[in-house]
Amino acid sequence: LGWYYGYSKSIDLEGGAYGHAIISKYPIKSYSTFKLPSGTEEQRVCGHAVIQVGTQMVNFFNTHTTWTSLQSGQFQEIADHLSGLDNFIITGDFNCKNFAAFNVFGGNIVNNATNTFITNGEDGAIDNIVVCKKWTVGKGTMVDKGHSDHNMLYADITF
């Protein structure tokens, strides 16, 4: 595509690596990965890209948290990384249908009790986008293109 990207490795898998990425049509000025508390379970991580959109630097995070009791600690670790940032967007497979759990981030969630988007028929509404309160979240929707076991969640964001 010729776009910018950053990759966050979670684990080694079958001679390669397994994780997730952030892909952007805007320049990624820096990229880092931090581990989330995972105990003896599969290691979970969060990627953090600083993306330049015009003159605005956007803190963009992407993650895949666990569905177990370790999840609240993973949410808190991400919230700790938000401390001191003046803006953020967090996306990911949070494996969380409890919309109140997202309050720890102090932002607005796209997938919520009023506008619920089902990731897939089996898991429910587990994917989300969290946006800092100073930005406006416009239309959010989910589209099934059949390319994954997750439907694509997206939203219009104004900053």
Side-chain angles (χ1 to χ4, degrees):
L1 294 172
W3 287 13
Y4 304 89
Y5 66 93
Y7 175 71
S8 295
K9 175 185 162 187
S10 294
I11 60 171
D12 294 320
L13 182 67
E14 298 177 2
Y18 173 81
H20 54 271
I22 295 173
I23 301 171
S24 173
K25 70 177 183 177
Y26 300 103
I28 294 177
K29 295 305 200 178
S30 66
Y31 191 88
S32 60
T33 301
F34 56 93
K35 290 183 177 182
L36 300 176
S38 300
T40 59
E41 296 179 11
E42 176 184 308
Q43 181 63 59
R44 302 297 175 131
V45 299
C46 186
H48 175 200
V50 178
I51 302 172
Q52 184 175 354
V53 182
T55 59
Q56 177 81 38
M57 294 297 181
V58 176
N59 290 286
F60 191 97
F61 295 82
N62 182 260
T63 193
H64 182 186
T65 63
T66 186
W67 54 270
T68 69
S69 61
L70 293 170
Q71 186 181 76
S72 62
Q74 293 175 351
F75 275 44
Q76 185 58 56
E77 183 71 23
I78 295 167
D80 290 348
H81 277 81
L82 301 177
S83 178
L85 297 179
D86 67 344
N87 68 61
F88 63 83
I89 299 170
I90 312 166
T91 64
D93 175 352
F94 292 94
N95 282 308
C96 183
K97 297 182 240 184
N98 175 9
F99 300 129
F102 290 89
N103 291 341
V104 69
F105 301 131
N108 298 310
I109 60 174
V110 172
N111 202 354
N112 56 56
T114 303
N115 298 302
T116 303
F117 304 105
I118 304 300
T119 299
N120 60 45
E122 183 177 317
D123 297 323
I126 61 173
D127 295 339
N128 220 319
I129 301 170
V130 186
V131 179
C132 64
K133 288 203 181 278
K134 75 178 200 175
W135 291 341
T136 303
V137 177
K139 178 186 174 191
T141 193
M142 189 167 267
V143 177
D144 179 4
K145 291 291 187 185
H147 299 300
S148 171
D149 63 334
H150 290 247
N151 296 329
M152 181 181 70
L153 176 65
Y154 70 92
D156 295 327
I157 300 167
T158 305
F159 50 87

